[in-house]
Structures are given as C-alpha cells and as structure tokens.
Amino acid sequence: MPELQDTGVKWADLDTKGKILRVLTISAKLILLLGFLYMFVCSLDILSSAFQLVGGKAAGDIFQENSVLSNPLAGLVIGMLVTLLVQSSSTSSSIVVSMVSSGLLEVSTAVPIIMGTNIGTSVTNTFVAMTQVGDRNKFRRAFAGATVHDFFNWLSVLVLLPLEVATGYLVKLTDLIVKSFNIQSGENAPALLNVITDPFTHSIIELDESVISGIATGDPEAKNKSLIKVWCQTASNTVIILTDFRWKGKKAIIFCTHMPNYCNHIFVNTNLSDLAVGLILLACSLLILCTCLILIVKLLNSMLKGQVAVVINKIMNTDFPFPFAWLTGYIAIVFGAGMTFIVQSSSVFTSAITPLVGIGVIKLERAYPLSLGSNIGTTTTAILAAMASPGETLGNSLQIALVHLFFNLSGIVLWYPIPFTRLPIRLAKALGQLTAQYRWFSGFYIIACFFVFPLLVFGLSLAGWQVLVGILVPIVAVLIFAIIVNILQNHKPQWLPSALRSWDFLPQWAHSLEPWDRVVTIMVARCCCCCKCCNVTEKDEETGTHENKDNEIEMYDKEAKKTSDSCEILKATSL
C-alpha cells in the first residue's frame, strides 16, 4: 500500500482567495464525481439489459433443460453461465424462483443454480480492475481487491456444494425457518437507487423480463416475443356518469378503463432484432463504463490527496481500540450489506470499491469484509421480492431466497471469523502479484475461470455422470496433489522426498510462466511490427499524392529502411 501523506497546503495557511478557490475546486470535483458515478451505475444497468438482449432467451432455454439440471455440478455451472449472460444475479435468481414457484424445479435442484449465480455476479468487478492495467502497482492492488470476491465464492462453493449434496442442510434449514414463522405476503422490493437511474436508463431501453421467465417456465408464446418492452405504464381513464337524480341526492356511476401506453425509450418501435439492439447497447455501455471508470480514478487521485487522503485512510482502515478490534470487520460487513441494499446491486458496490483499493485508499483486508457484506446485501432484495409472491407459492419462493442468504452466511462463517481461515485474502494477494508481473495472465484468468472451465464442465455433464467423473476426478486429484506439494515445499521441505522438493525435474513451461511470457512477448512484438509496417506504408502512399515524386521516392526509401530496421530489431529482441 502507498504511504498516504499530507502533502498539500493546510487550510489555515491559505488566504481568502485560496480558500475560495479550494472550496470551488472541491465542489466542482464532487459534482463531476457524482455525475460520473451516476453514469457508471446507469451504464451497468444498460450493460445488463444488453446482455439480456444478446443471451436472455438462451438463458431461458438453458434453464428449461431439467435433465441436465438434475446434476448438481451442471446446475452450478448453468447458474454461473446464465448470470454471466444477463450480468445480473437478481435476474437469474428470479428466473429460478419463478420455476420453483411453478413446480418445474424442486428446491433441492435449484440450490446449486443459486450458488452458481453467486459466482457469476463477481466477474464485473474483475473486469473493472482491468482498467488500471497501465500502472503495475495499482493494477496489483486493484486485481487483488477484485478477485478476493471471486476466491470467496469459489471456495464457498467448493466446500458447501458437496456438503449440500451429501446432507441437504440448506434445504432442511430454510424449510424449518419457513414453516416456523407465519410469514405473510409482503410488498414488492423497494426501488431505492432505481428511482434515480430508471428515468435515464428507461429512456434508452426497457425490457420485458417476463419473456425470459416465460421461456424458462415453458410458455410457447414467449419464444416468439421480443424482449424489448413496447407497452409500459397503464393510464386510468375515469368516466363518471350521473344518473337517477333524486331529491335526496344524486347517484354517481363510475367506470374505470385502463389503457396501456407506448414506452418512451429509443428502441420502442425499432425494426432491429433483439441481437442487433443488444450488440449496439453492449458496445456503447462498455465504452461509457470504461470511460467513467478511468475518469473516476483520475478524479479520486486528484481529490484524495493531502489531508483528505489521510482522513479517509484512517476512517476506512483503522481498527477499533482494544479489546474491540475484532468488531471492526463485522461493522464493515454490515456497512457493505447496507450499501449494497441501497444501490440494489452487489456488482455496483464491489466495482465502486475496486478503484479505491487500486489507488491505495482501502486496504485489501478491509475490502474483504465489505465484499462479504455485499454478498449478504444482494440477498435482501430477493427476500423482499419473494415475500410479494402469491400465498400458494410464497413458501417455495421464500425458501429459495433464504437458501441464497444462508449460503453466503455459511461462507462467511467458513472464511472470515478465524484469521487463519481467511484464505481468499492470501490467494488474492498471490494472484495480484502474479498478474502484476505477467499482466496478460489477468485476461487468461478471466477467460479460463469464467468461460472455459464452466463450458467444459457443462459439456461433460451433457455426456453423463460417468464421463464427467472420469475426466474431472483425475484433473482435481492432480491439482490437489500440486497444491499440497507446493505448501510442503514452502514450509516443510524435509517431509518430501528429494525429487519433489522442487519442480525442476519438470520442463520449465510446466512450472513457470516465464516461457509463456516470452511467447506472448514474441506475438505482441510481431503484431506491433506488422502494424507499424502497414501504417508507414499507408502514410507514405497518402503523402505521396500531394508531394513531388522525387521527394516521395526519397522519403519512402528512408522510412521503409527505418521501418525495416525497427522490425528486425523487434524480431531479434523477441527471439
């Protein structure tokens, strides 16, 4: 972590003009920061809509494959993939709730899918950390701060999924809770942050999420419907007819008719397909998201200096005095849960604290409990939404929502109270160091963990249990063996035979990233060389049409020679 020091001019040392300028500057930066944060949240919302347009119907079709969902490991991967498609754990979990309520899924079958949605929602802040790849130290801290959430979810699933399959403790526990209390149907989940963001996002795109749920529940009409909503709010036209005038008074008959109105978003009457609209929104939202994040980081870097940096650093990273120091982390968990409930999205909250970890304002040890709290906060909306279900489906809907809550609580019990068990912090730090040294590895990590591995497991699960177990068990056994040997090499090498005290007996590419780094460097060098050659040739052709032919030939020869020399140098360096 960087040492934050008070390097600015103190307030008391400023004259009147300096104080006014400082106040105006800070106010302007705060307004800009709030504006960028607003656009950042809106871009996440539009990004979620874009992913639903691109893959929403595919998500509904995936959920309909009950023969595959009966496999817990396949259910876990499907929940993860669907959440990656729609970029919203609340959307994917609501589909699961609707299927359980309609009787298409049993609660026990839906539990692994809920666990998978927990993993899928953590990829957003990992992408956010990539925006700080330019600075090695900031990238190391930001990537560690983002992946600590990933490791918590992966480790929780690694322990709790086999436990759930063997004992069914989550289903039994939540069933007892639902039966113990006479819970009445509640109101819809409150729209807190959405009240601010919906006017802007709904002016761009508005989706009918019931179409995805309809596909998942087997509605044949839903497959032919577009996800783009056309009819929005309903207007009430009241017609009052006064009849039967009597001396005691007059009788009024009131007729109320409800007329749907057209939506006001940009794509309401578009001739484009859902896929085309989704790709347009995907490109625009990613551009806005990355731009806002870069500007937010720059603004925070300029604002969080001097006394402000010192104060925030003390508030965020200082523990309570002895003997209450152990309470600090739990207060951070409660704070993270509350903030996630306010913003109605764990992705937004964890993505917001990732740049703060990168610039050194929040330590990784403090970002960890904040992320754990966000996992809890994201379940409260599902619980409130489940309580709004009809009476006949309230029990199952609420049980699934409680499964999500107790899964996260169980993970916190496993990986937080005892300092020794806080493995996600150590793993995230190690991965941060590795990606800082080999920055290309961050892209490999995202592709492998969130796309290649889930798709591999899903493909094997389609082939049946025998194929899945026959291929995955040897791979898992080799990984466990390698992890155990690594731990013993670092701490108790004398317990190992002499051949296993190091991995030098293996080829270098099998135990080091250095050969792979050389391959990546060669590929990048060759790409840069080709690009430079093409650019110089095009530039020369354009300038040649406006200049003298002799000058053109002379310049072309010089530039070509320089380009050729630079290409040879790049090739020699890479080799």
Side-chain angles (χ1 to χ4, degrees):
M1 294 287 290
E3 291 293 333
L4 298 178
Q5 299 177 355
D6 184 5
T7 56
V9 181
K10 293 183 179 181
W11 178 263
D13 297 335
L14 293 173
D15 56 8
T16 304
K17 182 179 178 181
K19 290 179 180 179
I20 294 174
L21 287 175
R22 176 170 291 186
V23 170
L24 292 175
T25 303
I26 293 175
S27 301
K29 288 182 178 180
L30 282 174
I31 293 172
L32 285 174
L33 181 62
L34 291 175
F36 291 142
L37 284 173
Y38 178 79
M39 294 301 298
F40 169 70
V41 175
C42 290
S43 66
L44 282 176
D45 194 356
I46 296 173
L47 182 68
S48 174
S49 299
F51 274 109
Q52 290 181 58
L53 286 170
V54 172
K57 290 187 177 180
D61 289 330
I62 290 173
F63 273 129
Q64 210 172 359
E65 298 294 332
N66 287 307
S67 59
V68 178
L69 295 177
S70 60
N71 182 345
L73 196 57
L76 172 77
V77 173
I78 287 173
M80 179 179 171
L81 288 174
V82 171
T83 308
L84 287 172
L85 280 175
V86 301
Q87 279 296 289
S88 172
S89 60
S90 59
T91 300
S92 53
S93 60
S94 66
I95 298 173
V96 177
V97 169
S98 65
M99 294 185 69
V100 172
S101 300
S102 62
L104 293 177
L105 274 183
E106 296 181 356
V107 175
S108 57
T109 307
V111 172
I113 305 176
I114 291 294
M115 294 183 180
T117 63
N118 226 48
I119 297 176
T121 193
S122 63
V123 71
T124 306
N125 55 318
T126 310
F127 276 122
V128 168
M130 299 286 288
T131 60
Q132 295 183 266
V133 71
D135 188 293
R136 196 178 295 272
N137 286 325
K138 289 181 181 179
F139 182 58
R140 172 177 54 83
R141 293 189 295 268
F143 203 78
T147 54
V148 72
H149 194 196
D150 303 350
F151 282 118
F152 169 78
N153 289 327
W154 280 109
L155 290 173
S156 299
V157 167
L158 188 64
V159 174
L160 296 178
L161 180 60
L163 182 62
E164 174 64 23
V165 172
T167 63
Y169 88 100
L170 284 173
V171 175
K172 294 177 182 177
L173 177 62
T174 53
D175 185 54
L176 287 174
I177 293 174
V178 171
K179 290 181 178 178
S180 299
F181 299 97
N182 185 20
I183 303 175
Q184 301 296 325
S185 179
E187 298 295 330
N188 289 327
L192 300 176
L193 191 67
N194 293 342
V195 175
I196 305 173
T197 59
D198 281 352
F200 178 74
T201 57
H202 285 179
S203 67
I204 298 175
I205 189 68
E206 194 168 356
L207 302 185
D208 189 359
E209 295 183 359
S210 62
V211 176
I212 306 177
S213 300
I215 295 173
T217 52
D219 185 3
E221 296 182 358
K223 293 186 177 181
N224 299 322
K225 292 181 179 178
S226 172
L227 283 173
I228 301 174
K229 186 179 286 188
V230 177
W231 301 101
C232 289
Q233 297 178 351
T234 301
S236 298
N237 296 327
T238 303
V239 179
I240 302 176
I241 301 177
L242 301 178
T243 62
D244 194 9
F245 292 92
R246 300 179 183 180
W247 66 274
K248 291 183 178 181
K250 49 189 176 181
K251 185 178 180 181
I253 301 176
I254 301 174
F255 296 95
C256 296
T257 59
H258 299 277
M259 299 293 293
N261 292 333
Y262 273 111
C263 298
N264 295 320
H265 58 82
I266 298 173
F267 299 97
V268 64
N269 288 318
T270 182
N271 294 323
L272 299 174
S273 64
D274 285 3
L275 178 61
V277 175
L279 291 175
I280 292 171
L281 292 176
L282 184 65
C284 295
S285 59
L286 284 174
L287 177 63
I288 295 172
L289 185 142
C290 294
T291 304
C292 288
L293 278 174
I294 293 171
L295 294 174
I296 286 171
V297 170
K298 290 186 177 295
L299 266 178
L300 288 174
N301 275 323
S302 65
M303 292 174 64
L304 299 180
K305 291 181 180 179
Q307 291 176 310
V308 178
V310 175
V311 171
I312 294 179
N313 190 31
K314 287 181 179 179
I315 292 174
M316 295 300 300
N317 301 310
T318 303
D319 295 332
F320 288 119
F322 181 82
F324 303 106
W326 60 275
L327 281 174
T328 309
Y330 296 97
I331 297 296
I333 292 176
V334 174
F335 178 77
M339 290 300 299
T340 304
F341 178 75
I342 291 173
V343 301
Q344 297 283 288
S345 173
S346 60
S347 298
V348 171
F349 178 70
T350 54
S351 299
I353 65 174
T354 297
L356 295 177
V357 177
I359 64 178
V361 175
I362 300 178
K363 292 182 180 179
L364 181 61
E365 289 76 8
R366 188 54 41 83
Y368 179 52
L370 290 172
S371 299
L372 301 187
S374 72
N375 271 5
I376 297 176
T378 195
T379 64
T380 56
T381 304
I383 293 173
L384 291 172
M387 291 179 66
S389 301
E392 63 272 11
T393 61
L394 176 61
N396 289 339
S397 301
L398 188 58
Q399 188 176 359
I400 283 296
L402 290 175
V403 163
H404 198 186
L405 172 64
F406 280 97
F407 167 71
N408 285 309
L409 289 175
S410 301
I412 291 174
V413 171
L414 282 174
W415 310 115
Y416 188 75
I418 304 173
F420 177 76
T421 61
R422 295 173 187 173
L423 293 178
I425 295 178
R426 293 199 288 273
L427 292 174
K429 284 184 175 180
L431 184 60
Q433 294 282 1
L434 186 64
T435 52
Q437 184 177 2
Y438 306 106
R439 280 178 275 191
W440 56 267
F441 188 76
S442 57
F444 172 80
Y445 164 80
I446 293 175
I447 294 172
C449 288
F450 292 102
F451 296 98
V452 175
F453 177 71
L455 288 173
L456 175 64
V457 173
F458 181 69
L460 293 175
S461 64
L462 295 177
W465 266 102
Q466 294 81 2
V467 177
L468 182 67
V469 172
I471 294 179
L472 284 187
V473 167
I475 295 175
V476 173
V478 171
L479 288 176
I480 293 174
F481 173 77
I483 292 171
I484 293 174
V485 170
N486 270 326
I487 294 173
L488 292 177
Q489 284 176 352
N490 293 327
H491 299 284
K492 297 290 182 180
Q494 64 274 15
W495 291 4
L496 293 171
S498 56
L500 290 178
R501 291 179 182 177
S502 69
W503 296 110
D504 293 339
F505 64 93
L506 294 174
Q508 190 181 15
W509 60 265
H511 65 91
S512 174
L513 290 178
E514 189 63 34
W516 299 103
D517 186 61
R518 288 198 294 268
V519 172
V520 173
T521 304
I522 292 172
M523 294 174 63
V524 171
R526 288 181 177 176
C527 289
C528 292
C529 174
C530 294
C531 291
K532 286 184 177 181
C533 291
C534 294
N535 289 336
V536 170
T537 304
E538 292 177 359
K539 180 180 178 181
D540 291 336
E541 289 177 354
E542 292 176 358
T543 55
T545 59
H546 301 287
E547 294 182 358
N548 188 295
K549 183 176 180 180
D550 296 335
N551 294 335
E552 175 192 352
I553 296 173
E554 183 181 355
M555 182 180 67
Y556 184 88
D557 291 340
K558 290 182 179 179
E559 293 292 339
K561 187 177 184 303
K562 290 180 181 178
T563 304
S564 176
D565 293 342
S566 62
C567 291
E568 293 298 327
I569 293 171
L570 282 171
K571 289 179 181 179
T573 306
S574 63
L575 292 174

